[in-house]
Amino acid sequence: QVQLVESGGGLAQAGESLKLSCAASGRSLINYVMGWFRQASGKEREFVGAITWSEGRTAYADSVKGRFTVSRNSVKSTLYLQIDSLTPEDTAYYYCAAKFRGQATYDYWGQGTQVTVSS
């Protein structure tokens, strides 16, 4: 089992930056891919970005490339999502998730953290 706890959400102004954290525990993440997703009110949950824990390779949704950065601190077992140049369209619940490498779906999810961006 992997336990995930997000933090760092809150209210921000358009144009500002925000950094979300996701603390992981339960087992070694060396063989895991960690992802960030978001879900805005009334919309489907969407993939934002992901990182391979061991190599640190990243992938992003086209809609956030250039503004979102996924990183991790292996010592702290913490995943991060840096969001720059926030827009009101970034308002959503943000979730981190984990899946074993090679699997299609994410098995473990955090409870989410709310990000609200005002114009």
Side-chain angles (χ1 to χ4, degrees):
Q1 292 280 349
V2 178
Q3 291 80 43
L4 303 170
V5 179
E6 301 95 335
S7 61
L11 180 62
Q13 298 277 348
E16 293 181 342
S17 296
L18 207 59
K19 189 171 186 176
L20 307 182
S21 300
C22 173
S25 62
R27 61 175 53 180
S28 170
L29 300 176
I30 195 168
N31 291 313
Y32 281 79
V33 175
M34 305 295 292
W36 283 100
F37 293 75
R38 66 182 180 183
Q39 186 167 21
S41 180
K43 294 188 177 181
E44 297 282 322
R45 184 159 57 190
E46 65 171 342
F47 170 79
V48 171
I51 188 167
T52 60
W53 196 263
S54 54
E55 300 94 347
R57 288 188 314 215
T58 56
Y60 297 95
D62 288 341
S63 60
V64 304
K65 278 181 182 176
R67 290 197 305 118
F68 286 36
T69 304
V70 180
S71 62
R72 87 275 190 246
N73 183 318
S74 299
V75 174
K76 295 183 178 180
S77 293
T78 301
L79 177 72
Y80 302 101
L81 179 65
Q82 174 76 33
I83 309 174
D84 296 321
S85 302
L86 282 159
T87 74
E89 288 68 38
D90 293 321
T91 295
Y93 246 90
Y94 284 74
Y95 299 88
C96 66
K99 66 174 181 176
F100 199 81
R101 295 180 72 156
Q103 286 194 177
T105 58
Y106 287 81
D107 293 322
Y108 305 103
W109 293 83
Q111 83 289 348
T113 186
Q114 174 72 45
V115 172
T116 303
V117 184
S118 60
S119 56

